[in-house]
Amino acid sequence: MPLVRIDINTGRSAEDLRRISQGIHDAILAEYGIPEQDYFHIMTEHPAGQIVAQDAGLGFERTPDVVMIQIFTQGGRSQAAKQSLFSAIAERLAEAGVSGENVFIGYVENTAEDWSFGFGRAQYVTGELKTPQKSML
């Protein structure tokens, strides 16, 4: 059950925002085999100058169309699975008009007991939810 935060600069259409979010979700579905209804995205638009995303010395320029993605998910997936996900997200976002240099992903792992889906309970711990099986690749 990934939680995805998406930070972008203002100026995109509602359809562009939908395509970006759906593209990321579709990549996660395809790569990790999670249930389709496990769709938890927070999309935040920022005024010009509030996102700084340099190239980290890789020799390319990002544009104001940068999409900053943070994926919070349970740990245990292999490095190959993560790399496959990163690639799938970049491919899906290319279909939505986002160039590869503008796709920035941070991946944060935690455990089942780190999640509460409401009512102040950790549903994976209480047994209200079954801990999802992970694609380990």
Side-chain angles (χ1 to χ4, degrees):
M1 189 301 304
L3 168 63
V4 179
R5 297 189 59 93
I6 306 162
D7 291 276
I8 57 171
N9 288 307
T10 57
R12 287 188 166 92
S13 70
E15 177 60 16
D16 288 342
L17 298 177
R18 186 201 65 74
R19 289 176 64 206
I20 289 168
S21 176
Q22 189 66 55
I24 295 167
H25 185 61
D26 288 347
I28 295 170
L29 288 173
E31 297 302 314
Y32 284 2
I34 66 167
E36 190 168 342
Q37 72 275 14
D38 281 4
Y39 194 162
F40 301 97
H41 288 195
I42 303 164
M43 187 170 279
T44 305
E45 294 182 278
H46 299 273
Q50 288 191 354
I51 295 178
V52 177
Q54 296 181 348
D55 74 353
L58 296 170
F60 58 84
E61 296 285 325
R62 290 194 174 89
T63 74
D65 291 335
V66 67
V67 178
M68 306 287 286
I69 304 161
Q70 297 175 58
I71 300 171
F72 301 88
T73 190
Q74 291 183 40
R77 293 185 176 93
S78 70
Q79 187 59 48
K82 295 173 198 176
Q83 291 297 314
S84 184
L85 176 63
F86 298 163
S87 179
I89 289 172
E91 289 172 16
R92 296 292 198 313
L93 291 188
E95 294 169 6
V98 180
S99 61
E101 70 271 11
N102 284 325
V103 178
F104 184 100
I105 303 170
Y107 193 95
V108 181
E109 295 181 326
N110 54 38
T111 64
E113 61 255 11
D114 295 322
W115 297 92
S116 172
F117 295 90
F119 304 103
R121 295 190 301 270
Q123 285 86 355
Y124 290 134
V125 174
T126 65
E128 295 169 79
L129 284 174
K130 182 180 176 191
T131 303
Q133 297 299 311
K134 299 173 198 71
S135 169
M136 304 305 261
L137 285 181

